[in-house]
Amino acid sequence: MNRITGRSAFLALLKDEGITHLFGNPGTTELPIMHALKDHPDLTYVMAMQESLVVAIADGYSRASGRLVACNVHVAPGLGNAMGSLYNAQFTGTPMILTAGQQEQGHGLMEPLLFGPLVRMAEPLVKWAVEVTRLEDLPRIVRRAAKIATTPPTGPVFISLPGDILNAEAGIELGRSTRVDTRVRPSDQALQALAQRILKSERPVIIAGDEIVKSDALQEAAALAATLGCPAYQQSAPYGSHFLSESPCFMGALTRSQTQVRETLSPYDLMIVLGADPLRMSVHSETDPLPAGMPVVQIGLVDWDIAKNFGAEIALKADVRETLRALIPALKAAGGAALETRAKQGITALASRNWTAQRVKVVGKISKARDRSPIDPEWLTLQMVEALPDNAIVVDEALTSSRQLLALRPYRDRYDFHALASGGIGWGLPASVGVSLANPDRPVVCFSGDGSAMYSIQALWTAAHHKLPLTVVIANNGGYRIIKQRLLAFHGDDHYVGMDFADPPVDFIGLAKSLGLEAIRITEAKDVAPTLKSAFSRPGAKLIEVVVDGTV
């Protein structure tokens, strides 16, 4: 066998697993990998200026492409920096190989600077964590990591790479890549039982979630709703394109208010869950979001989410798209003309209150704020949506300012919208860099709040460095408006301590220009539409700061 160094073998293995970009922030323990990159010019190294950004950029790349990603961070403090973004990646099941350089074996016993128990640090947030202790084991570990990360339920894995392993040289066999095909459908017996249970219900409702994206089942989910003539809602954490908005059956996303969700679901007699954790909430409530006695049937590959909080009459661990492709014909065959008639009547009844009808009402309401000063954030959202190119991708972390975004912009493909899933802010800006890297031929718009942006503002440098077609729109309300709203709502307190950026104010224009971006500030409503249209039509990375009303 040809002799090869650990560092070169590691990069060769990543490439053979389909990795095209290595996201990283180099430190001393990563220098062997940086040294080997010159021998692998077909692997693009994407540098970000802090480890949390590295993982968030990789996360965005994977969510916008469905591909396995790899990122390399610096030893114990670097892994610590990355943990918040790793939490986000775990939450969305992002297939990711996260690695960190480690001190040489034996040297760690001396507890040198930066040393830490990397495997133990990573374990709570990954599917598998391991340290390489022999060069001969490196291929098996990387191959296993890729297989584990990409097999549903997908998610990040972690590998600790000691310096002596990377610098060692040996004749080793690199092995081969494996992907587990999980596009499975239920048995005929299970499908028939599911079809009969659905047909037995008089008022079913569909709740769609993230596995619609992962399974590429947007068309099939819409077809199921049309076959039944029943309403379809997006799961209560709407962080992706989980249903085709312009389907006549789509009603929008469920809220994260237990009382509102219970009221929304009360008219129905069966909840059909498609690849979702359907009723994930935020703050505590004594009210259960699921109406008492509501039966549930559920399909998906993420078995942890199946009947996690609410028992299911029928629970099928299966691929959503493959299951629906078999289920819909079974429903039509068993339901016959009666089902067809019922479906037509159901769709007609939904026409006055579906997503499309609601959008008309929302546009009319928001349009009344066109002349408001300071700029109304919802009017900004409407102007942004109307200025977007048809093929644009939106990454949202504007929180309070983007409240009506999903009511205004339709989902049309599975990768055209990405939003914060876990609640840990600071994800949006670097994630949009990854989304843009994964889609270089599509304009990407990151809609961010000022508070969120300041968690990860240095990600702008990576966007500028790679000359990405990315526009960052920051709704600047001068502080943490969402926290102000909750302090007032939950505690009746309007004494906002530590929630304002007023003394001094943040200079986003200066920040953006210092990091290499074109930057524009908008303070007048009349300038919003023309400025956004111009920005979206021009190449390169840009930041547009819009000063909006921060009233609570």
Side-chain angles (χ1 to χ4, degrees):
M1 286 182 283
N2 292 327
R3 294 180 67 82
I4 188 170
T5 61
R7 56 185 180 264
S8 191
F10 173 68
L11 297 179
L13 288 162
L14 290 184
K15 291 192 299 182
D16 195 54
E17 291 292 346
I19 298 298
T20 57
H21 295 69
L22 178 60
F23 304 91
N25 180 267
T28 304
T29 51
E30 290 70 54
L31 287 180
I33 292 172
M34 308 309 293
H35 177 48
L37 280 169
K38 69 177 185 298
D39 297 323
H40 298 270
D42 51 337
L43 185 60
T44 300
Y45 187 81
V46 180
M47 194 274 281
M49 292 180 164
Q50 208 255 19
E51 289 88 354
S52 64
L53 311 184
V54 169
V55 175
I57 292 172
D59 188 13
Y61 187 100
S62 180
R63 283 183 58 180
S65 65
R67 297 175 60 181
L68 174 70
V69 289
C71 40
N72 187 232
V73 300
H74 186 41
V75 75
L79 179 59
N81 287 339
M83 293 296 272
S85 292
L86 185 58
Y87 172 82
N88 293 338
Q90 178 211 38
F91 200 95
T92 51
T94 300
M96 172 187 296
I97 298 176
L98 172 63
T99 58
Q102 176 61 295
Q103 303 284 357
E104 288 77 3
Q105 296 177 100
H107 186 46
L109 184 63
M110 307 296 290
E111 296 190 358
L113 291 176
L114 306 176
F115 175 77
L118 301 185
V119 170
R120 294 211 320 266
M121 290 172 62
E123 275 178 334
L125 296 179
V126 296
K127 292 181 69 178
W128 183 51
V130 66
E131 183 166 285
V132 185
T133 58
R134 295 192 316 155
L135 176 54
E136 291 79 4
D137 295 332
L138 180 65
R140 180 170 287 116
I141 286 173
V142 174
R143 299 300 191 186
R144 185 182 299 176
K147 184 209 69 166
I148 291 172
T150 56
T151 301
T154 58
V157 298
F158 175 77
I159 304 174
S160 171
L161 298 171
D164 55 314
I165 299 294
L166 294 175
N167 289 321
E169 184 175 321
I172 56 175
E173 172 59 53
L174 296 185
R176 63 175 298 162
S177 176
T178 300
R179 292 294 182 272
V180 178
D181 189 342
T182 57
R183 294 172 297 174
V184 295
R185 43 154 283 185
S187 67
D188 291 341
Q189 182 180 3
L191 277 168
Q192 287 301 320
L194 178 61
Q196 291 302 318
R197 180 62 187 89
I198 291 173
L199 291 172
K200 179 183 173 182
S201 69
E202 297 180 357
R203 301 176 306 281
V205 60
I206 292 170
I207 310 298
D210 191 51
E211 288 188 65
I212 297 292
V213 172
K214 289 185 167 68
S215 180
D216 194 10
L218 279 166
Q219 297 294 336
E220 288 75 10
L224 175 65
T227 298
L228 299 174
C230 76
Y233 288 88
Q234 187 177 9
Q235 64 181 33
S236 58
Y239 55 82
S241 298
H242 299 152
F243 205 89
L244 293 173
S245 303
E246 292 156 315
S247 159
C249 296
F250 186 55
M251 310 302 290
L254 294 173
T255 70
R256 286 195 292 277
S257 164
Q258 287 89 329
T259 302
Q260 289 178 0
V261 170
R262 189 182 182 93
E263 182 179 347
T264 297
L265 296 179
S266 289
Y268 307 111
D269 65 357
L270 179 68
M271 186 166 78
I272 303 168
V273 181
L274 304 179
D277 181 359
L279 308 180
R280 177 172 271 153
M281 294 295 137
S282 180
V283 299
H284 172 71
S285 171
E286 295 294 338
T287 301
D288 197 318
L290 189 72
M294 168 77 78
V296 178
V297 296
Q298 193 160 359
I299 305 164
L301 287 171
V302 183
D303 49 357
W304 179 258
D305 286 344
I306 296 177
K308 178 174 67 176
N309 293 316
F310 309 103
E313 283 189 17
I314 298 176
L316 302 179
K317 184 175 181 179
D319 180 79
V320 174
R321 185 176 67 175
E322 294 303 314
T323 301
L324 294 184
R325 285 180 172 180
L327 176 63
I328 292 169
L331 287 167
K332 290 180 177 179
L339 176 61
E340 188 174 348
T341 299
R342 177 175 140 185
K344 290 179 180 177
Q345 292 173 344
I347 290 172
T348 300
L350 293 174
S352 63
R353 56 191 182 91
N354 64 13
W355 183 90
T356 302
Q358 292 177 49
R359 186 186 190 280
V360 173
K361 296 175 183 177
V362 171
V363 169
K365 180 181 178 182
I366 292 175
S367 295
K368 296 176 183 178
R370 62 166 50 91
D371 298 321
R372 187 178 298 175
S373 181
I375 297 168
D376 180 75
E378 293 181 0
W379 189 78
L380 164 62
T381 303
L382 175 60
Q383 297 310 297
M384 185 184 74
V385 167
E386 292 185 343
L388 286 170
D390 290 341
N391 67 333
I393 300 172
V394 174
V395 179
D396 173 37
E397 199 182 314
L399 303 181
T400 61
S401 292
S402 61
R403 188 174 69 92
Q404 295 289 5
L405 177 60
L406 302 189
L408 295 170
R409 186 172 190 271
Y411 305 137
R412 289 175 174 158
D413 71 72
R414 62 176 174 152
Y415 294 139
D416 66 4
F417 175 76
H418 307 278
L420 181 65
S422 72
I425 66 173
W427 171 88
L429 206 160
S432 68
V433 175
V435 169
S436 189
L437 284 163
N439 295 272
D441 298 325
R442 297 180 68 173
V444 176
V445 176
C446 175
F447 190 27
S448 177
D450 51 341
S452 292
M454 285 308 300
Y455 275 70
S456 49
I457 194 70
Q458 65 267 50
L460 294 176
W461 181 90
T462 305
H465 178 70
H466 289 273
K467 299 177 174 58
L468 299 178
L470 171 64
T471 302
V472 177
V473 179
I474 292 183
N476 186 350
N477 56 39
Y480 296 127
R481 186 177 182 225
I482 191 170
I483 303 302
K484 293 179 181 180
Q485 289 178 338
R486 291 185 173 184
L487 181 67
L488 184 61
F490 301 160
H491 300 279
D493 185 356
D494 61 359
H495 183 56
Y496 305 127
V497 177
M499 303 176 195
D500 289 301
F501 307 156
D503 186 18
V506 177
D507 181 4
F508 283 100
I509 301 305
L511 278 170
K513 289 182 176 179
S514 74
L515 293 167
L517 272 71
E518 173 191 338
I520 304 167
R521 177 181 287 115
I522 301 175
T523 58
E524 300 293 333
K526 64 180 176 60
D527 297 326
V528 171
T531 303
L532 291 176
K533 288 178 182 177
S534 174
F536 296 161
S537 67
R538 289 182 281 111
K542 299 165 287 290
L543 181 141
I544 300 173
E545 175 193 7
V546 185
V547 180
V548 298
D549 187 0
T551 303
V552 179

